[in-house]
Amino acid sequence: MHRRWFETNQPAQGVAYRNASETLHGMAIAGPRSRELMQRLTRVDVSGAAFRFRDFRRLDVAGVPALVARLSFTGELGYEIYCAPQYQRALYAAIMREGTGFGLRLFGSRALMSLD
């Protein structure tokens, strides 16, 4: 849907559009303790003052080069983390390992949409 919108509405000049779906894969962490979890995964300050809502940064997350957005589609505090496919397993493992003390649970968009 988003790609179609960009391709339909892209100005004829001055704007370049590139689909990065093949080069970046994403996952999200969300919830009231997501900032604490994120802080364990990176050396960069992710406090509310340093990394505000809608900020987007290049960070190393658990040693993985990533693009991180301070966004959440859940309505909770959260982060979207995008990395190259070859790093996704290592990033996932680090998030799961560090998240055990926070009661981390997996969720997908279909599960999210089923919640009241």
Side-chain angles (χ1 to χ4, degrees), residues 38-44 58-68 81-84 86-95 97-98:
M38 185 60 128
Q39 195 60 74
R40 286 187 180 207
L41 296 166
T42 187
R43 294 181 180 178
V44 175
R58 290 186 187 277
L59 304 177
D60 279 350
V61 181
V64 170
L67 296 172
V68 180
I81 307 166
Y82 300 92
C83 67
Q86 67 266 26
Y87 296 118
Q88 195 170 28
R89 290 175 113 180
L91 179 59
Y92 173 81
I95 290 170
R97 183 177 56 253
E98 293 297 328

Side-chain angles (χ1 to χ4, degrees), residues 8-111:
T8 302
N9 294 287
Q10 181 174 331
Q13 297 177 341
V15 175
Y17 166 80
R18 181 178 59 90
N19 180 7
S21 297
E22 299 296 320
T23 58
L24 291 174
H25 293 187
M27 61 185 80
I29 58 173
R33 300 190 69 196
S34 59
R35 181 175 285 128
E36 292 174 75
L37 174 55
M38 185 60 128
Q39 195 60 74
R40 286 187 180 207
L41 296 166
T42 187
R43 294 181 180 178
V44 175
D45 181 4
V46 294
S47 67
F51 201 171
R52 299 181 339 199
F53 182 64
R54 295 188 192 155
D55 280 355
F56 203 94
R57 306 243 173 91
R58 290 186 187 277
L59 304 177
D60 279 350
V61 181
V64 170
L67 296 172
V68 180
R70 177 46 191 87
L71 296 170
S72 173
F73 57 87
T74 65
E76 295 264 4
L77 171 66
Y79 303 86
E80 294 182 5
I81 307 166
Y82 300 92
C83 67
Q86 67 266 26
Y87 296 118
Q88 195 170 28
R89 290 175 113 180
L91 179 59
Y92 173 81
I95 290 170
M96 295 306 292
R97 183 177 56 253
E98 293 297 328
T100 57
F102 295 103
L104 181 69
R105 300 284 184 271
L106 297 176
F107 70 93
S109 58
R110 291 199 185 259

Side-chain angles (χ1 to χ4, degrees), residues 2-10 17 19:
H2 295 101
R3 181 178 176 185
R4 188 171 45 248
W5 186 92
F6 281 112
E7 289 172 352
T8 302
N9 294 287
Q10 181 174 331
Y17 166 80
N19 180 7

